[in-house]
Amino acid sequence: MLVQLQYLRAVAALMVVYFHAILQLAKVNPALDATTFVYGETGVDIFFVLSGFVMWLTTSGRAMSPIDFARRRIKRIVPLYWLATLFSAVVALVAPSLLKSTVFDLRHLIASLFFLPWANAADPSTITPVVVPGWTLNYEMFFYLVFALLLQLSETRRIPAMFAVFAVILIACRLLPETTVTRFYGEPIILEFLAGAVLGWLYRQKVLLPKRWAWAALIIGFAFLFINEALMPPESRFYAWGIPAIFIVYGAVSIDFSRLPFIGWLNYLGDCSYSIYITHAFTLAFLRVAADRLPIGILQQPVLFVILSLVLSSIGGAIIHEITTPRRKVAVASRPPA
């Protein structure tokens, strides 16, 4: 097991939690100019590159049918996401003030359950599902569909075919009349999955960075991710945010982490990263409601609010992970052999 992938999953998930915590803080304390501290959205870009890498790594050199691949991905993604989606829909129906980013709409709910892009009824300018962070899963499931179909090709043809498929999709979405579908799938962010798959191929071919350059790529990647998020708009995210994410993943997988101290808690949060990502919106909504209703403004203190957001989201995600993950699979959190 590449333990650094677990570390990156944990870091990416907490980056997204921090990003949404700052947005919630702006609602809790409007007098605070929270936009100055808005960072972490780029955790998604790390996730996408990681996803492409892991999908290549877990299928390369082994026979796997598209059906088997799809079954594994659905088993991993769908149950928790559907539970979160249905729970959000119920809350939006009976207590709409609790989830300000969601209103109940049956067509929107059905599209969300089937990972179809749909304008959010609460904000028609955005293409997000009922569980707003789930917009990334719409891209993930689309990538899984393409990847599964390409498993029928020989391994040497898969990456060139993936290049061709994504190129056709992006060009077609630019040429066709603008719709929700063409707007969503016409975003070059989908190329981050392709970049991750290429990194997976390089890893399998043992084309890795020397140790010194790997650490430099990792550090520079995070530095430019932070800088570019402050300077560059989301419209330029593929190259402004995606390229640093590629540097981060390539640098990390080129380093032999078995020779470094093992960080058990970070590895465990990597296991829980999907649960943290899906459930943290509920934790932040709870904190926002608590901050509005407490007689004192303790939760309106920025540092405390952010710390509580990170800690409670991690705890909540870990609890859900333990409930939804079979016990025999938790063993992956143990230290890999040196």
Side-chain angles (χ1 to χ4, degrees):
M1 184 184 69
L2 290 170
V3 70
Q4 55 267 52
L5 301 185
Q6 296 290 87
Y7 294 168
L8 287 179
R9 285 191 183 108
V11 170
L14 294 178
M15 286 171 65
V16 175
V17 173
Y18 172 84
F19 171 73
H20 288 134
I22 293 297
L23 296 182
Q24 289 286 6
L25 182 60
K27 299 175 183 177
V28 170
N29 189 351
L32 176 70
D33 184 13
T35 56
T36 306
F37 309 99
V38 175
Y39 292 97
E41 188 178 3
T42 49
V44 168
D45 302 87
I46 297 176
F47 269 131
F48 282 4
V49 178
L50 277 174
S51 182
F53 180 89
V54 171
M55 291 307 101
W56 184 268
L57 202 63
T58 54
T59 57
S60 177
R62 65 186 68 179
M64 183 177 296
S65 71
I67 297 298
D68 287 339
F69 176 85
R71 184 184 298 116
R72 294 184 183 190
R73 292 294 89 203
I74 290 172
K75 185 178 179 180
R76 160 74 172 161
I77 298 295
V78 170
L80 178 57
Y81 184 64
W82 275 14
L83 284 173
T85 298
L86 293 172
F87 177 75
S88 295
V90 171
V91 172
L93 182 63
V94 302
S97 63
L98 295 180
L99 297 175
K100 294 183 180 298
S101 60
T102 300
V103 297
F104 184 82
D105 180 89
L106 184 59
R107 293 179 302 169
H108 186 211
L109 172 61
I110 294 172
S112 297
L113 290 173
F114 288 95
F115 302 95
L116 301 175
W118 199 272
N120 193 322
D123 182 4
S125 66
T126 62
I127 305 173
T128 53
V130 172
V131 179
V132 173
W135 67 268
T136 62
L137 295 182
N138 290 350
Y139 281 121
E140 286 275 0
M141 295 301 280
F142 174 72
F143 169 64
Y144 294 156
L145 174 63
V146 173
F147 196 89
L149 294 175
L150 294 182
L151 286 175
Q152 300 177 89
L153 301 178
S154 65
E155 195 168 307
T156 56
R157 295 180 179 178
R158 288 176 197 164
I159 287 182
M162 209 178 304
F163 267 101
V165 170
F166 283 143
V168 169
I169 290 169
L170 290 175
I171 293 171
C173 287
R174 290 293 189 272
L175 296 178
L176 292 172
E178 183 175 298
T179 64
T180 299
V181 172
T182 57
R183 280 176 56 202
F184 190 78
Y185 293 118
E187 291 293 333
I189 192 174
I190 62 175
L191 296 176
E192 293 177 358
F193 296 110
L194 174 60
V198 172
L199 293 183
W201 179 84
L202 290 173
Y203 181 84
R204 290 283 292 176
Q205 298 299 315
K206 301 187 186 302
V207 182
L208 301 175
L209 298 172
K211 181 178 178 180
R212 183 179 301 177
W213 287 103
W215 279 108
L218 185 62
I219 294 169
I220 291 171
F222 270 112
F224 273 92
L225 203 64
F226 182 81
I227 293 170
N228 287 356
E229 189 170 3
L231 299 179
M232 306 292 285
E235 292 76 16
S236 60
R237 76 181 302 159
F238 168 66
Y239 61 88
W241 302 357
I243 291 177
I246 294 168
F247 272 59
I248 290 167
V249 175
Y250 195 27
V253 300
S254 296
I255 297 168
D256 184 3
F257 271 72
S258 68
R259 299 180 180 274
L260 301 175
F262 179 66
I263 309 174
W265 64 270
L266 193 60
N267 183 66
Y268 179 68
L269 288 182
D271 277 338
C272 303
S273 58
Y274 177 61
S275 298
I276 293 172
Y277 184 83
I278 292 299
T279 63
H280 78 275
F282 305 108
T283 303
L284 297 182
F286 166 78
L287 284 173
R288 175 177 54 77
V289 172
D292 288 340
R293 297 184 179 180
L294 284 177
I296 56 176
I298 186 169
L299 283 180
Q300 296 185 13
Q301 300 301 315
V303 174
L304 179 60
F305 187 90
V306 169
I307 290 175
L308 281 175
S309 297
L310 293 170
V311 172
L312 294 182
S313 294
S314 298
I315 293 173
I319 292 172
I320 296 299
H321 172 76
E322 291 295 333
I323 293 172
T324 59
T325 304
R327 180 61 56 183
R328 61 186 175 84
K329 293 186 178 180
V330 179
V332 297
S334 61
R335 178 170 184 163

